[in-house]
Amino acid sequence: MNQESKGNEQQLKKTLGPFMLWGLGVGYVISGNYFGWNLGLAEGGTLGAGIAIFFIIIMYVTFTFSYTEMACAIPKAGGAFSYAERGLGKHLGFLAGMSQNIEFIFAPPAIASAIGAYFGIFFPELDALLIGVVAYLIFTGLNIVGLQVAATFELFITIIAVLGLLFFAGVTLPAFKVENLQINALPNGYMGVVAAIPFAIWFFLAIEGVANVAEETINPQKNILKGFGFALLTLVILCVLTFMAAVGVGGWEAIVYPDSSGVASDSPLPLAMGLVTGDNQFYYHLLAFIALFGLVASFNGIILAAGRTTFEFGRVGYAPKAIGAVNKKFKTPVNALIFNMLIGIIALFTGKTGEIITIAVFGALCLYILSMLAFLKLRKNEPELERPFKVPYYPLFPMVALIIASLSLIAMIIYNFTLALIFFAMLLGAYLFFILFLNKTKTS
């Protein structure tokens, strides 16, 4: 087999246009509107969570535009890993890629747990863990069959999930009262803002996954910008709309604590709607049903993106080569998808949904920091690199993203020290494995 045909076997098929990219970008993230974000209210109250969301929106706007420049200039499946390796060298590139892997591998089991919980509303006799495992098998299989099938399905369920949020807002906003936003608005002082940061990030976590399908995008230099930009605009609007509509009907405590047990809820939107519609079970079950579409959209989308991150790791020799193989029949990274599924199911069985989310956020923040450092380095070292899109207000945008991400990481370490140790132990362990067993396959 000659070198050219061998290289073609390792190439992914180009099938995606800007509308599909929009569907993926929104789909990766949209489950964050349906569950998880309300836990930030318990930490910061309405004002604390609102301030955290404000700064996180700024971080994602500046980060996404900066990241898009690199995605258009270097359209490869590795995303952050490819950019950091080129800008910062193989060692920091490895750490960026591994942070990305942790984010994308650990977010799906948290969502799978929520899928099981929402299914329990309709079928309480079914085991939530079993439902999560079945979801993994179905959607990993869907992604194995082909990107076009998975992305088309993703677009369909994402549109339904967006319509569900608009339906929720349409029902609850007529009952909105400004005074409800002022009830116990800052219960833990301004340090509550810091504690609410990871849950604010949950509103946008994994949007950067759009870059990981750049290699499978038709005319990526133009279409990635369109897909990224409209996805981010959609998510910012939905974030603000969901936050205001949910909290504005009865105050933040009503959508965090469903009873006197003090246990936080994973379903804030049905709780908010219940305050408006009372015991109308039709509205409650309709919203819960639509919420499943939102959860499935993110679950399927992140599985898709995760397959590309681990695939690229294997393809370039930073993980066992088998993970970087493209299936000859389906032209998809089958081994990478199966590997991620197995790790995800193990995480799912721990039952530690909140902790899994936090570890995924640690991975995201490290990815954002190293990506922005790579961006600045590439601008300095490779000014001649063709950049079909250039970030506005350089160097302000990448510097703002870098500063907010760094401060957020420090805050996360302070408030989640044990989980921080676990995350950095995973990162260090993977790096040592790379140095001892795989580094010899890469040239300096």
Side-chain angles (χ1 to χ4, degrees), residues 94-106 355-370 409 412-413 416-431:
F94 176 89
L95 293 176
M98 197 62 212
S99 297
Q100 183 174 232
N101 285 330
I102 290 172
E103 176 193 359
F104 286 173
I105 292 173
F106 278 83
E355 289 84 345
I356 292 170
I357 288 174
T358 303
I359 288 174
V361 172
F362 271 121
L365 288 172
C366 285
L367 179 155
Y368 301 158
I369 291 167
L370 289 169
L409 180 62
M412 287 275 293
I413 293 171
N416 303 276
F417 189 70
T418 301
L419 291 174
L421 290 177
I422 293 172
F423 168 76
F424 285 111
M426 292 168 63
L427 209 57
L428 179 61
Y431 180 67

Side-chain angles (χ1 to χ4, degrees), residues 75-94:
K76 299 197 69 178
F81 158 63
S82 298
Y83 318 145
E85 183 191 39
R86 183 159 174 170
L88 303 174
K90 65 179 179 180
H91 295 285
L92 288 176
F94 176 89

